[in-house]
Amino acid sequence: MNWLKPISLEKQSVRLVPIEISHLEDLQTATADGELRKLWFTSIPAHEDVKSYIKEAIANVNDGNQLVFAVIDLKTNKAIGSTRFCNLDAKNRRLEIGYTWYAKSYQRTATNSLCKLLLLQYAFEALDCIAVEFRTHWHNHASRKAIARLGAKQDGVLRQHIIQADGSYRDTVVFSILNHEWLTVKKHLEFKLSQYTNNKNN
């Protein structure tokens, strides 16, 4: 029996829905926005690989290994990125939020904070998780800063953790938020979102 069931989560301008092949064209457009694939330290699919990326994501969901979302901008009703629950450990009530990426034009907006609030709230308040992890490449400094800004604490670095397609090694930085920290992190995210809304309206 799978710990995670397909769900949709929504708040303000963002909806997270189970990824489907119908999101193909939108996600191809999203990867082209900012030429995200050129960031060598990320795992964002190239335009021509998005279809296989979606198929593999759906297979992981069907196997009970992950829950993969397309990120939908409610203003346009277009998929503008993806994120997922992965590294599931139902026995110990732990999981990771990862494989997150957005079209370049949605970076440095409220999108990431909204998505993280939705995912963390579901993890801690619906799944009763005791810890939620975030992992990123050692060289992805923007991602490391963004994770720290959420209120996550760095646990350590897994050196030579992954052999990448070109044969190089990835050092993985691991962060986490614990269940007793969630209320404070939640307040912080809600405050950030309120500030963003206020600034936008001024």
Side-chain angles (χ1 to χ4, degrees), residues 99-112:
Y99 296 88
T100 301
W101 60 273
Y102 311 103
K104 180 70 173 179
S105 56
Y106 287 85
Q107 295 174 16
R108 298 182 181 275
T109 70
T111 299
N112 187 54

Side-chain angles (χ1 to χ4, degrees), residues 110-168:
T111 299
N112 187 54
S113 293
L114 284 167
C115 290
K116 292 302 188 291
L117 179 58
L118 285 168
L119 294 169
L120 287 166
Q121 186 165 8
Y122 186 78
F124 285 116
E125 298 180 14
L127 298 176
D128 194 28
C129 285
I130 61 174
V132 174
E133 286 187 8
F134 300 87
R135 299 185 179 198
T136 191
H137 197 298
W138 172 263
H139 288 285
N140 194 342
H141 297 288
S143 177
R144 289 167 61 181
K145 289 178 182 177
I147 293 169
R149 284 197 300 267
L150 291 173
K153 305 294 193 303
Q154 183 173 319
D155 296 319
V157 181
L158 302 175
R159 302 188 66 199
Q160 295 192 0
H161 179 226
I162 295 172
I163 302 174
Q164 302 191 122
D166 63 358
S168 64

